[in-house]
Amino acid sequence: MSGNAAASQGDQKEKKRKESILDLSKYLEKNIRVKFAGGRECAGTLKGYDPLLNLVLDNTTEFLRDPDDPYKLMEDTRLLGLVVCRGTTVVLICPVDGMESIANPFVAQDG
């Protein structure tokens, strides 16, 4: 194989690797909520992203967790402003509009 053919194959692999599986362009300049590995959650305006799902959020608010129960969110929030979220820690991305919290049907309810 010649040097140019090997370089051409390398370019094709590079192009395939850079293609993202998600199209977040429809959420640009809209409010989204992001959940991270480890349980943190935040919401903000999506300003930018890349194929690795690194996100840039503006007017970001972090939802604080209960210190006694790390899976339960409290009403308290913390304003973060402009943040860059590392894509390897992103677990879930959803729009704030059209989202509502429901009770977990798999957990026994009190009553």
Side-chain angles (χ1 to χ4, degrees):
M1 199 184 304
S2 69
N4 286 343
S8 176
Q9 283 183 340
D11 290 344
Q12 287 176 353
K13 286 182 183 178
E14 194 69 26
K15 287 179 185 175
K16 288 181 184 177
R17 188 179 310 146
K18 289 183 181 177
E19 192 174 311
S20 179
I21 59 170
L22 292 177
D23 180 24
L24 296 177
S25 61
K26 58 186 168 192
Y27 298 116
L28 281 173
E29 301 299 326
K30 293 194 170 103
N31 286 329
I32 62 169
R33 188 161 179 153
V34 182
K35 293 187 180 187
F36 299 96
R40 284 187 162 179
E41 291 187 37
C42 68
T45 306
L46 182 64
K47 294 293 186 178
Y49 65 96
D50 68 7
L52 299 174
L53 288 184
N54 295 313
L55 307 174
V56 178
L57 300 176
D58 197 10
N59 299 322
T60 306
T61 303
E62 179 183 9
F63 300 96
L64 301 177
R65 294 179 289 170
D66 187 342
D68 298 327
D69 184 3
Y71 297 105
K72 183 179 179 185
L73 291 178
M74 298 189 311
E75 296 297 317
D76 295 339
T77 60
R78 180 170 68 159
L79 187 61
L80 301 177
L82 184 67
V83 297
V84 176
C85 307
R86 186 169 167 86
T88 57
T89 63
V90 172
V91 174
L92 176 83
I93 301 171
C94 62
V96 171
D97 299 335
M99 182 184 99
E100 66 180 55
S101 182
I102 63 169
N104 185 343
F106 301 107
V107 174
Q109 302 295 320
D110 294 336

